[in-house]
Amino acid sequence: MGKVTGFLEYDRQEQKYQLAGDRIRHFREFTLPQEERDIKKQAARCMDCGIPFCHGPTGCPVHNQIPDWNELVYSGGWEDALRNLHSTNNFPEFTGRICPAPCEEACTLNLENMPVTIKTIEQAIADKGWQEGWIAPEIPARRTGKRIAIVGSGPAGMAAAQQLARVGHDVHLYEREAKAGGLLRYGIPDFKMEKKHIDRRVKQMEAEGVTFHYNAHVGVTLPFATLLAEHDAVLMTGGAEAPRDPGLPDTNLAGVHYAMPYLTQQNKRVGGEDVSGEAPILAAGKHVVVVGGGDTASDCVGTAFRQGALSVTQLDIRPMAPEIEDKLTVWPYWPTKFRTSSSQAEGAEREFQAATLGLEGRNGRLTGVKCARVDEKRKPIPGTEFVLQADLCFLAIGFAGSVIEGMIAQSGAAVDKRANVVANDRNYATSVDKVFVAGDMRRGQSLVVWAIREGRQAAHAIDKHLMGETILPM
């Protein structure tokens, strides 16, 4: 807890943003950092609530000890707060920026709609740690002689690699792309998280003994059997990348794209990677329609505005949610309520209870998106059809599961009906000896914070499998 009466003395103060008209002119982060004194006041609001749901299973997948580091920040113990935070989360500067913060929804003060600004405090702790030089490589005192391959350098792979390297294993991280980070780098726009944060962690991990292998597409350019033969254990953390089929006619029209290729191309462009071999997907001077109501759809909205779109309309098949949830029936769980992302606030038109019926085109190019209102069963209501003018349409309706062709098929690991590799959340072992799986490839599309949690748990399981015991936390 922070100050006993802090929640009575200080109001919740959220991070402020650059004005929309200014921030859409660049791809940099646009949150305005708070003064240290203001962060301490926000930490002081953490009350002695008895049962801190914020860091239980309902609030934080990595089980951050939130009341503890709030108390440390309030009392000025920033370095101890960082040490506590790192004991459960390898990359708090990631989650402090992009996690949707279920911990704040689970906060006891959220019963009054004024939760502690946990996410802001977490980011502040991590950023101060880098600024003060407190974050340094943790080099193991001894080497085990065990060689481990991890496929996929997203948050699950990076977390597992760092944990395993710190107990002395020879860890090799194989990444299909030219740089590490997975969807952290190629899916999440820089205006939400600049990639310098990933680069710093990569340097730290290299110093700890992790070897990164880039442009290594396991199952395509590198046979899985080769990997298995050369390592004592293999952990697959390749994510859930297969896009969900919208089942719409005419998706082959020019101007219709899945969300991820669009975001990936722009992120590579911002990161200085060569995209000259790809057909450019640019929203400048165009009317854009985004199908989907989630975070990926919102990222498409923000990216389109920064590219100079004339208009952006977002279609959500769900009804508009209530402004405030019924606390007595929902809290401390994640509620369904009306939310406006920073990208949506930049000028997007939002259509609710809107189904996408099809696409219209002329001479092979997209001209419009056919829509209709839906009933409570999400069935189109006759007579409510309408057409939105569109030069670009992005399909952001989630992922169907893992890509089976390539690595998973070559591994021989069992897969369930949702295209997830089968393994439990205790030993993360697949049906194939020496082969483990974690993150979205095991659990399906989920949050970065869940990926970090699974990567850490998988590292615990692998170390125990190889050594008979482990000091790594679950």
Side-chain angles (χ1 to χ4, degrees):
M1 59 172 289
K3 187 178 182 181
V4 175
T5 57
F7 70 99
L8 297 172
E9 297 176 32
Y10 307 119
D11 291 332
R12 173 181 167 92
Q13 183 181 339
E14 298 182 16
Q15 279 186 314
K16 292 182 171 58
Y17 299 152
Q18 289 180 355
L19 295 175
D22 294 330
R23 67 181 188 249
I24 63 171
R25 299 177 185 275
H26 61 79
F27 279 88
R28 300 184 303 277
E29 292 178 17
F30 52 80
T31 53
L32 304 176
Q34 294 180 346
E35 297 289 338
E36 185 172 314
R37 63 176 182 274
D38 294 323
I39 295 292
K40 292 179 68 172
K41 288 180 181 178
Q42 293 305 298
R45 298 185 65 247
C46 187
M47 60 188 291
D48 188 7
C49 58
I51 300 176
F53 289 95
C54 59
H55 71 78
T58 59
C60 182
V62 295
H63 294 198
N64 281 338
Q65 300 168 56
I66 294 164
D68 294 3
W69 43 256
N70 277 333
E71 163 67 24
L72 288 166
V73 167
Y74 169 63
S75 61
W78 285 87
E79 190 170 3
D80 287 337
L82 178 69
R83 189 176 299 108
N84 184 298
L85 185 50
H86 271 142
S87 71
T88 56
N89 185 351
N90 295 66
F91 315 118
E93 67 271 33
F94 299 174
T95 51
R97 284 172 166 80
I98 59 178
C99 184
C103 53
E104 294 189 19
E105 298 292 350
C107 177
T108 302
L109 287 176
N110 191 38
L111 288 169
E112 296 295 329
N113 299 305
M114 295 289 281
V116 175
T117 56
I118 299 168
K119 179 178 172 179
T120 300
I121 298 168
E122 178 180 27
Q123 178 184 333
I125 294 170
D127 288 352
K128 189 173 180 65
W130 284 108
Q131 178 184 333
E132 298 295 332
W134 297 332
I135 301 176
E138 298 180 22
I139 300 171
R142 65 180 181 88
R143 298 291 177 180
T144 65
K146 300 294 185 180
R147 182 180 170 100
I148 301 169
I150 299 176
V151 185
S153 66
M158 287 183 67
Q162 185 166 63
Q163 293 292 93
L164 289 166
R166 286 176 173 178
V167 290
H169 297 304
D170 181 17
V171 180
H172 292 259
L173 192 47
Y174 294 83
E175 170 55 46
R176 177 188 61 196
E177 301 289 347
K179 297 180 181 180
L183 289 187
L184 284 170
R185 182 181 297 276
Y186 294 108
I188 294 172
D190 280 57
F191 56 80
K192 289 176 69 173
M193 188 181 80
E194 294 179 15
K195 303 311 178 273
K196 64 183 180 182
H197 305 295
I198 303 173
D199 296 336
R200 288 189 302 199
R201 287 296 181 180
V202 168
K203 289 182 180 179
Q204 179 193 31
M205 291 168 64
E206 288 174 336
E208 292 169 342
V210 177
T211 303
F212 288 80
H213 302 267
Y214 299 117
N215 299 305
H217 196 172
V218 177
V220 178
T221 60
L222 176 60
F224 186 84
T226 301
L227 211 64
L228 192 60
E230 296 177 351
H231 297 83
D232 297 293
V234 177
L235 173 63
M236 300 189 295
T237 58
E241 295 185 307
R244 182 172 287 116
D245 184 359
L248 296 174
D250 298 320
T251 53
N252 60 337
L253 288 169
V256 181
H257 306 273
Y258 282 109
M260 205 48 63
Y262 173 58
L263 295 174
T264 297
Q265 184 184 99
Q266 181 57 34
N267 285 348
K268 287 183 177 180
R269 190 179 287 119
V270 172
E273 295 188 44
D274 182 15
V275 294
S276 60
E278 306 174 24
I281 311 173
L282 297 168
K286 296 178 180 178
H287 298 283
V288 178
V289 173
V290 181
V291 181
D295 291 337
T296 301
S298 180
D299 292 343
C300 289
V301 170
T303 300
F305 277 129
R306 282 159 181 76
Q307 289 182 344
L310 292 178
S311 68
V312 181
T313 304
Q314 186 176 355
L315 301 177
D316 194 334
I317 199 169
R318 300 169 298 183
M320 183 182 290
E323 290 279 351
I324 299 176
E325 72 274 21
D326 183 349
K327 303 290 186 183
L328 295 181
T329 60
V330 179
W331 183 87
Y333 298 97
W334 182 262
T336 298
K337 65 180 180 181
F338 184 74
R339 305 172 193 269
T340 300
S341 71
S342 59
S343 293
Q344 291 164 341
E346 289 163 1
E349 294 292 331
R350 302 172 70 182
E351 296 281 354
F352 293 94
Q353 286 185 276
T356 306
L357 303 181
L359 304 162
E360 293 184 346
R362 186 182 304 114
N363 299 325
R365 293 202 62 85
L366 177 72
T367 60
V369 179
K370 295 183 286 188
C371 313
R373 300 300 172 192
V374 297
D375 58 23
E376 64 277 3
K377 295 182 179 180
R378 298 188 177 181
K379 300 296 183 183
I381 301 172
T384 65
E385 296 83 2
F386 61 99
V387 177
L388 293 171
Q389 180 184 358
D391 306 299
L392 274 179
C393 178
F394 297 118
L395 305 174
I397 55 174
F399 298 89
S402 303
V403 176
I404 304 301
E405 298 79 12
M407 177 175 68
I408 295 176
Q410 290 180 19
S411 74
V415 178
D416 65 20
K417 62 183 180 181
R418 298 179 59 197
N420 298 327
V421 179
V422 177
N424 63 45
D425 61 357
R426 295 178 299 282
N427 61 24
Y428 290 87
T430 70
S431 58
V432 179
D433 185 40
K434 296 189 353 181
V435 179
F436 300 79
V437 65
D440 289 3
M441 190 167 273
R442 187 196 75 86
R443 65 181 292 117
Q445 180 187 4
S446 191
L447 303 175
V448 167
V449 69
W450 269 113
I452 294 173
R453 171 68 171 172
E454 294 223 343
R456 289 170 60 88
Q457 288 182 315
H460 170 99
I462 292 170
D463 188 39
K464 189 173 183 179
H465 169 78
L466 294 175
M467 308 302 293
E469 58 183 6
T470 182
I471 60 171
L472 290 175
M474 278 290 285

